[in-house]
């Protein structure tokens, strides 16, 4: 009963068989955007807390995640919980579209590099990880300015007085006035340093969980029909949530450095290495994992929402656009 969720990112359980039907670019782009929108709407309040903790914003202290959420809601309302949300929402559709395209291109490049005898075989987990790493490179070009603007908007409300930036567009205009396009893209390398291992962990973990579940289902299939294995919504969402948590577990140190670098006043740090040296000297190695708790709490429901939104929209759009 109900709809059956099919795995979105990678191949079927048997790649020697022809695909059912290639997805249109419109369906891929729009469904990716819907999934990303769901991810942002569910996870942004936790992301806001993560950034404020990492940036050492006033009033954060040692309070817990949910305590900080209550404080923000009490002082700033729902709007406060979603401060800075315009930047990731505006970038989310192209980010997801480019990410999926980059991942597909990564898989194709990996196959091209493989021996001819292995062209029709399933990619190994290590090859999946390489494809995931490749996907992070083009995605970073969109992600970096979005992250820069989002972080600046998220931390400004924690200071007293009138906010420096009225919104995403105003923030981008001011950054361009003071430092040109270079200021808008400040922290690009830091973003790649975070997203490359994050993509490896995400796609690798997701594929490993997916294959494990499929193997279990095949062993439990008393009817012996193993031509098409589908995963239940619960299985897909669980795999996506755990993959999201794995992503942040490996990328949080780079994310801390990125947040500090992107939100610091101009001239505070010479480069990313300087951020690292100052952070370790003043706060110790534990500071590299600041914001891990809200990141992990956010990762599971946000990624679950992303997969649900993406798959439901794909089901609706496929009959129209193919």
């Amino acid at each position: 009963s109900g709809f059956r969720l099919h795995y979105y990112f990678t191949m079927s359980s048997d790649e020697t068989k022809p695909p059912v039907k290639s997805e249109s670019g419109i369906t891929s782009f729009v469904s990716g955007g819907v999934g990303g929108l769901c991810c942002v709407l569910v996870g942004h309040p936790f992301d806001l807390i993560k950034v404020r903790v990492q940036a050492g914003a006033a009033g954060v202290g040692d309070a817990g995640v949910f305590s900080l959420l209550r404080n923000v809601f009490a002082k700033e309302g729902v709007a406060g919980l979603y401060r800075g949300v315009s930047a990731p929402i505006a970038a989310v559709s192209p980010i997801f579209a480019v990410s999926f395209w980059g991942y597909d291109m990564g898989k194709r490049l990996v196959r091209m590099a493989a021996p001819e005898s292995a062209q029709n075989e399933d990619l190994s987990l290590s090859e999946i990880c390489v494809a995931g790493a490749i996907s992070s490179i083009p995605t970073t070009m969109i992600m970096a300015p979005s992250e820069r603007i989002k972080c600046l908007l998220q931390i400004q409300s924690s200071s007293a007085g009138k906010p420096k930036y009225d919104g995403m567009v105003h923030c981008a205009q001011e950054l361009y006035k003071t430092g040109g396009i270079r200021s808008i893209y400040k922290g690009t390398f830091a973003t790649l340093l975070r997203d490359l291992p994050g993509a490896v962990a995400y796609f690798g973990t997701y594929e490993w969980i997916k294959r494990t579940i499929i193997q279990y289902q095949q062993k439990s299939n008393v009817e012996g029909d193993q031509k098409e294995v589908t995963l239940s919504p619960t299985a897909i969402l669980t795999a996506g949530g755990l993959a999201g948590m794995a992503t942040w577990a490996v990328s949080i140190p780079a994310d801390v450095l990125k947040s500090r670098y992107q939100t610091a006043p101009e001239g505070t740090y010479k480069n990313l290495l300087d951020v690292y040296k100052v952070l370790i000297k003043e706060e110790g190695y534990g500071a590299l994992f600041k914001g891990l708790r809200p990141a992990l709490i956010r990762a599971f429901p946000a990624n679950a929402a992303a997969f649900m939104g993406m798959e439901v929209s794909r089901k609706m759009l496929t009959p129209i656009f193919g």
Side-chain angles (χ1 to χ4, degrees):
S1 59
F3 65 88
R4 296 194 301 176
L5 276 149
H6 294 265
Y7 182 56
Y8 181 76
F9 288 116
T10 60
M11 60 283 177
S12 64
S13 59
D14 186 359
E15 284 207 353
T16 61
K17 299 169 185 175
V20 177
K21 187 179 180 181
S22 59
E23 187 174 80
S24 77
I26 296 176
T27 298
S28 177
F29 185 88
V30 175
S31 62
V34 171
L37 179 62
C38 293
C39 179
V40 171
L41 292 178
V42 171
H44 190 79
F46 295 103
D47 187 69
L48 178 134
I49 297 301
K50 173 184 69 68
V51 170
R52 290 191 180 184
V53 169
Q54 291 174 340
V60 171
D62 298 321
V65 175
F66 292 100
S67 176
L68 291 170
L69 283 171
R70 285 195 299 269
N71 290 340
V72 172
F73 179 74
K75 295 178 181 178
E76 307 173 41
V78 175
L81 292 173
Y82 284 91
R83 194 172 298 280
V85 75
S86 55
I89 283 181
V92 83
S93 288
I95 284 173
F96 269 60
V98 172
S99 179
F100 299 154
W101 172 82
Y103 181 59
D104 184 58
M105 290 300 104
K107 289 192 293 182
R108 293 185 187 184
L109 289 174
V110 169
R111 287 196 179 283
M112 288 171 60
E116 187 174 347
S117 59
Q119 290 296 314
N120 292 325
E121 295 180 6
D122 288 351
L123 296 179
S124 67
L125 286 179
S126 60
E127 289 172 330
I128 288 291
C129 290
V130 171
I134 292 173
S135 75
S136 69
I137 298 173
T139 306
T140 297
M141 298 310 296
I142 305 173
M143 181 72 79
S146 170
E147 285 284 303
R148 164 82 155 141
I149 294 169
K150 181 204 69 170
C151 289
L152 288 172
L153 292 175
Q154 285 178 325
I155 67 163
Q156 69 173 357
S157 61
S158 60
S159 304
K162 185 180 183 297
K164 183 178 180 181
Y165 306 111
D166 295 333
M168 178 186 70
V169 176
H170 181 236
C171 181
Q173 290 173 338
E174 291 300 309
L175 290 175
Y176 187 77
K177 284 180 183 178
T178 56
I181 195 69
R182 186 173 182 176
S183 179
I184 294 177
Y185 274 87
K186 180 180 179 180
T188 297
F189 178 72
T191 303
L192 181 62
L193 197 64
R194 178 197 69 175
D195 289 351
L196 194 150
V200 169
Y202 183 82
F203 288 110
T205 301
Y206 198 101
E207 181 65 16
W208 175 74
I209 295 174
K210 176 224 173 191
R211 291 182 181 186
T212 300
I213 295 174
I214 287 178
Q215 288 174 2
Y216 175 78
Q217 288 181 336
Q218 287 176 335
K219 290 178 181 178
S220 304
N221 194 341
V222 294
E223 298 177 0
D225 181 13
Q226 298 178 3
K227 291 184 178 180
E228 182 183 10
V229 178
T230 58
L231 302 180
S232 68
T234 301
I236 285 286
L237 300 182
T238 299
L242 292 176
M245 294 178 74
T247 298
W248 282 107
V250 302
S251 61
I252 197 70
D255 189 57
V256 171
L257 299 178
K258 180 195 73 66
S259 293
R260 290 289 178 100
Y261 188 58
Q262 289 185 318
T263 59
E266 292 296 328
T268 304
Y269 302 109
K270 298 176 183 177
N271 48 44
L272 199 61
L273 180 60
D274 191 33
V275 180
Y276 173 79
K277 290 179 179 179
V278 172
L279 183 70
I280 299 304
K281 182 180 179 180
E282 295 182 354
E283 303 178 45
Y285 289 99
L288 288 171
F289 294 90
K290 278 190 171 183
L292 178 60
R293 185 177 300 175
L296 291 179
I297 292 174
R298 167 190 176 273
F300 196 97
N303 281 276
F307 274 84
M308 182 61 76
M310 183 163 47
E311 292 291 354
V312 170
S313 60
R314 284 179 69 228
K315 182 177 177 65
M316 295 172 61
L317 294 170
T318 299
I320 303 173
F321 300 108

